[in-house]
Amino acid sequence: MNFTEMNPEQLKAERSAVEAEYNEFKAKGLDLNMARGKPTPEQILTGAGILDVLTSHSDFTSEEGFDLLNYGCLTGLSECRRLLADVYGVPADKIIVGNNSSLTMMFDYLMQCYAKGASEETEPWVLQGDCKFLAVTPGYDRHFGITEYLGLEMINVPMTPEGPDMDVVEELVKDPSVKGMFCVPQYSNPTGNTYSDETVKRLASMETAPDFRIIWDNAYAVHDLTGRKERVLDMLTECEKAGHPERVVMFGSTSKISIPGAGIAFLAANEPNYSWIIKRLSKQSIGADKLNQMRHVLYFKDKDGLMAHMEEHASFTTPRFNIVTETFEKKLAGTGIASWTNPDGGYFISLDCMKGTASRVYELCAEAGVTLTPVGATFPHKDDPDDTNIRIAPTFPTEEDLQQATDILVLSVKLAALEKLMA
């Protein structure tokens, strides 16, 4: 029954029932964590063989003759760039391979824009006065953290099922002080939405300041759930077609494909961005870890090998997503106090509680032994103006623990809403 349509007597009875069930869980003294989007340990071990492939590889020379044990190869091994190109659908000659963290590569690129300019022809952002960045909300807290660190003012843009609200974006970027935005275009963090073709084309073609840059963080490009698959248009190509080849820099990594702390990260860019990035990078590095690049090439071999590995990963992630969404559907549908996403891939589910209750839901979960992502994490400066959104990370706990944590979360959502309705 819809809670908002209950009379006072019904609300009182429902609250008593919910509190009783909640207190039963609370008495168990549980310690459950669904705060961060990490693979479960068993899932990681499916790729443990990548640690051994070099032991049987006697030739430590790349196909172009680079010595894997020595310095050099700034853009990355050709065979590694080719593997990434096939998986992510971008030309190999636009790719630069880094070490394990795409977040580090994003930070470095934005620091270049801030300190040296987004191109040879434009002023550094630091010299232009008060610069701004668009913040798609709900969004990824680490993206907001980089923007905040650089002192860029963030302007919230609502997320829609098709991607960022493009009417809002197109109006805001008319301001030349707006310098860019982060986008997670496929299975977005935390909503799981994938940008529509129309959204991608509008982002590529809109009129902006010449040094406006889109950080295209395609972190979940092959992270499908079983039997589901979405793909986003190639933004590099769309920007070239629209006459703005420099607008986008794409980033990705194998962090949730191979070993989370020892994957390979990369960026891809059109000219003139590519040359501008290489100019900076040549002063910063002699080259990334070529042994790790070759390790990935030898282990996965090609796109088919990598995608087969991701199907194995989906056998771990899919049941966990189903536990959460099916529990929400069974216990929250029709109550009028919550809505949630049901993505086809990625690592998160976005839950919207009754307005003004998310912080209370977080408190109730904590009291019952469930750690959630802090409320506000999906908004700049950790400030959710409606106190409604919670990012759910179902991938790490065991299925048994996840079911208990989700049951407690549902009870907390109900109890917080009932408290508000009865206040």
Side-chain angles (χ1 to χ4, degrees), residues 371-384:
T371 301
L372 299 175
T373 302
V375 174
T378 54
F379 285 78
H381 308 295
K382 298 181 174 59
D383 179 20
D384 177 353

Side-chain angles (χ1 to χ4, degrees), residues 62-83:
S62 77
E63 64 183 22
E64 292 182 315
F66 283 107
D67 181 355
L68 305 184
L69 304 177
N70 216 320
Y71 299 120
C73 195
L74 183 63
T75 58
L77 301 179
S78 291
E79 48 266 64
C80 185
R81 297 165 80 194
R82 194 164 56 244
L83 171 65

Side-chain angles (χ1 to χ4, degrees), residues 15 43 61 64 93 121 154 166 178 195 220-221 225 234-235 238 246 249 272 287 326 335 362 370 386:
R15 179 170 178 173
Q43 178 183 339
T61 305
E64 292 182 315
D93 61 4
E121 295 78 25
M154 285 180 272
M166 285 307 302
V178 175
Y195 291 15
Y220 307 109
L225 297 176
D234 173 17
M235 184 59 160
E238 293 304 318
E246 75 293 341
V249 180
E326 289 171 6
T335 61
Y362 181 88
V370 176
D386 291 329

